[in-house]
Amino acid sequence: MEAMSPRTEPRCRTLSIHVVTWNVASAAPPPDLSDLLQLNNLNLDLDIYVIGLQELNCGIMSLLSDTAFEDPWSSYFMDVLSPLSFVKVSSVRMQGLLLLIFAKYQHLPFIQVLSTKSTPTGLFGYWLYGYYVSIINCHLPPHMANNDQRLEHFDRILEMQNFEAQDTPNILDHDLILWFGDMNFRIEDFGLHFVRESIKNQRYSDLWEKDQLSIAKRHDPLLREFQEGSLLFPPTYKFDKNSNNYDTSEKKRKPAWTDRILWRLKRQSQTDFQTPELSAPFALFLRSYVSHMVYTISDHKPVTCTFDLELKPLVSAPLITLLPEGPCTMENDLLISYCLAADFLSSPWDWIGLYKVGLRHINDYVSYVWVKDNQVSFSDRLNQVYIDISDIPETEDQFLLFYYSNNLHSVVGISKPFKIQPFSFLEEDPLDEAQPQI
């Protein structure tokens, strides 16, 4: 990432964000989630994944196992996404709720996690290229008659979110709120036969006017500020498991769009979210809003949104610039030079990690050093440390260096990929020097 001079106007950039919500009904991950993650879409170059799951297995043995090890869903997503240069930024688990954020590693110096006080939902705040983003994964009360409770929960979640850092804005002052989950809103009034016939004939618009969330937005000014794409896919609940058939049990629950993805922008006009505003420094544009009928492990179908986030970065250079000093060989300590931004407050507990390209998460280092240890030289802006790499097996893999800030709880600098060569690659044959040059 090139540093920008103070007089240079930062260029706008587009980040592609893929949001997933899925009530998995305590099921384990299926063998293939390519469709859900859009891995086969050659026209889509994603930067960030936001994944919210509900009703994870939260039995006592499962929770104890997930505390000691990664839960099966997190492990699955890391296994699939890490070879594509995605790193797990954060994971928020609250009983049956799981919120996962993945980003391509080059974005990590421009993403910071904002800690929140204890709340009854899966919310976390993020700082993204200088903008504030809140992400909420929720599971609202079920059943047709509990609509008032769902709306009360909605208001309470917005009122209760307080971030630990004093200078962090209130959630409603954040530049972007992404809110998704099993919201449990139902279709009122219409009978089961009419709803199923409308679905069978793909007349989804006939059902919109009785959708409880749509009705609530007509009467609640704050809820109306949250936008949603058109519901052009079948209702996502309730299905017989391992099938695409709506509920055939004795209860024969009426189908409903319980699984939703909403967003609220502070800066962008609320009237037309599909038309770019050329003057807006921060704007979100919907590319797709779909369900995925191919998955049958749950009585819910997953729903995904793909967005283009266009922003003018408020921060365009990382706080730390890292550079491995060559030659890098297995026989030598790895010497690292790094420069600090003038406004960066370092800590003795900051550390630099050495990673193989394709890392899964920040703790996936092969070696590390505390920045105050193994110092070779230092000044106000330029520092040098070394990492012992003698125990690293020979490999053709590329490596990266990350600088982790203890104060910011985030990666604030990364190096470009580099290789560590076996010592024999750099040894010269002594006979070569004796040979005459012709």
Side-chain angles (χ1 to χ4, degrees):
M1 196 73 60
E2 295 183 359
M4 309 286 291
S5 68
R7 295 182 181 179
T8 303
E9 183 74 13
R11 291 174 295 179
C12 286
R13 67 178 307 155
T14 300
L15 300 178
S16 290
I17 302 174
H18 191 64
V19 181
V20 176
T21 182
W22 193 3
N23 182 323
V24 297
S26 299
D32 185 2
L33 289 176
S34 297
D35 183 66
L36 183 76
L37 300 175
Q38 294 290 285
L39 300 182
N40 299 323
N41 188 341
L42 300 180
N43 297 319
L44 193 60
D45 184 15
L46 292 169
D47 295 280
I48 297 172
Y49 280 95
V50 178
I51 301 170
L53 305 180
Q54 306 88 40
E55 284 196 25
L56 262 69
N57 188 344
C58 55
I60 185 64
M61 294 306 297
S62 178
L63 287 174
L64 288 172
S65 174
D66 293 350
T67 300
F69 309 99
E70 292 283 357
D71 68 88
W73 284 92
S74 295
S75 294
Y76 181 96
F77 288 122
M78 285 189 289
D79 289 344
V80 171
L81 295 176
S82 60
L84 304 176
S85 298
F86 286 92
V87 178
K88 186 182 76 173
V89 174
S90 68
S91 172
V92 184
R93 176 74 186 266
M94 294 193 68
Q95 295 186 334
L97 293 174
L98 177 64
L99 173 61
L100 296 166
I101 310 295
F102 291 86
K104 285 190 173 172
Y105 69 79
Q106 59 263 36
H107 298 302
L108 295 186
F110 305 99
I111 302 174
Q112 293 176 19
V113 180
L114 309 175
S115 297
T116 56
K117 297 178 181 177
S118 179
T119 56
T121 189
L123 172 138
F124 242 55
Y126 299 86
W127 178 93
L128 176 66
Y129 284 93
Y131 297 91
Y132 286 100
V133 177
S134 281
I135 298 176
I136 305 172
N137 174 31
C138 71
H139 191 182
L140 300 183
H143 306 307
M144 175 76 75
N146 290 331
N147 194 41
D148 287 344
Q149 287 187 33
R150 286 188 280 275
L151 297 176
E152 288 173 8
H153 275 238
F154 183 93
D155 291 335
R156 194 180 312 134
I157 289 169
L158 290 177
E159 292 171 358
M160 292 181 64
Q161 305 307 336
N162 291 309
F163 293 92
E164 292 180 353
Q166 295 297 318
D167 58 347
T168 303
N170 178 274
I171 183 174
L172 291 175
D173 290 322
H174 282 197
D175 300 284
L176 171 64
I177 302 173
L178 290 173
W179 193 332
F180 48 82
D182 180 2
M183 298 188 178
N184 261 314
F185 290 107
R186 307 305 170 100
I187 297 173
E188 294 184 348
D189 298 339
F190 294 141
L192 175 62
H193 178 74
F194 178 82
V195 170
R196 290 195 170 185
E197 282 298 305
S198 298
I199 296 169
K200 179 180 178 181
N201 295 300
Q202 298 185 14
R203 298 196 311 267
Y204 307 126
S205 59
D206 290 353
L207 307 176
W208 293 347
E209 64 175 297
K210 295 300 182 179
D211 168 67
Q212 288 180 331
L213 177 56
S214 301
I215 294 171
K217 290 179 73 171
R218 292 198 288 268
H219 300 96
D220 186 327
L222 179 57
L223 189 56
R224 197 157 51 241
E225 293 180 10
F226 286 82
Q227 302 179 53
E228 182 181 19
S230 298
L231 297 169
L232 300 177
F233 50 86
T236 54
Y237 175 84
K238 173 182 170 93
F239 289 87
D240 294 337
K241 290 186 179 180
N242 302 311
S243 81
N244 284 326
N245 300 320
Y246 284 105
D247 186 14
T248 59
S249 70
E250 291 184 5
K251 294 183 178 180
K252 286 188 171 57
R253 293 177 181 84
K254 190 163 52 175
W257 286 288
T258 56
D259 309 279
R260 313 289 276 266
I261 300 174
L262 312 177
W263 69 94
R264 176 184 182 270
L265 280 160
K266 179 183 175 183
R267 286 181 165 84
Q268 189 178 358
S269 167
Q270 306 293 321
T271 57
D272 187 0
F273 57 83
Q274 291 180 322
T275 303
E277 295 181 28
L278 298 179
S279 61
F282 188 92
L284 193 71
F285 308 110
L286 180 66
R287 293 183 63 170
S288 70
Y289 187 34
V290 297
S291 65
H292 298 263
M293 296 289 289
V294 67
Y295 300 110
T296 62
I297 61 170
S298 169
D299 52 357
H300 291 252
K301 300 299 182 184
V303 173
T304 64
C305 251
T306 305
F307 299 102
D308 282 341
L309 175 60
E310 294 186 3
L311 57 84
K312 187 176 292 183
L314 302 179
V315 176
S316 53
L319 291 170
I320 298 289
T321 302
L322 282 163
L323 181 66
E325 298 288 352
C328 299
T329 73
M330 296 293 182
E331 299 289 327
N332 301 318
D333 293 325
L334 175 61
L335 182 63
I336 304 164
S337 296
Y338 62 95
C339 297
L340 288 71
D343 57 347
F344 176 68
L345 182 62
S346 64
S347 161
W349 299 107
D350 291 354
W351 51 276
I352 296 173
L354 176 67
Y355 301 83
K356 287 184 180 181
V357 171
L359 68 149
R360 292 153 55 93
H361 51 75
I362 191 63
N363 294 325
D364 212 9
Y365 48 78
V366 296
S367 187
Y368 72 93
V369 62
W370 301 104
V371 296
K372 296 302 182 185
D373 294 343
N374 301 350
Q375 278 193 337
V376 178
S377 64
F378 67 93
S379 65
D380 290 341
R381 298 290 297 278
L382 179 65
N383 295 263
Q384 287 186 320
V385 296
Y386 63 86
I387 294 181
D388 181 2
I389 59 173
S390 59
D391 293 333
I392 298 176
E394 291 188 9
T395 177
E396 290 297 313
D397 292 333
Q398 289 189 311
F399 290 84
L400 292 164
L401 293 167
F402 287 9
Y403 186 110
Y404 185 86
S405 166
N406 184 66
N407 291 330
L408 298 175
H409 306 292
S410 302
V411 172
V412 294
I414 62 173
S415 71
K416 293 181 179 179
F418 62 94
K419 284 193 172 184
I420 301 177
Q421 301 287 6
F423 183 67
S424 59
F425 279 29
L426 296 178
E427 286 185 322
E428 294 182 357
D429 187 340
L431 295 177
D432 289 345
E433 296 182 2
Q435 305 236 338
Q437 302 295 316
I438 300 176

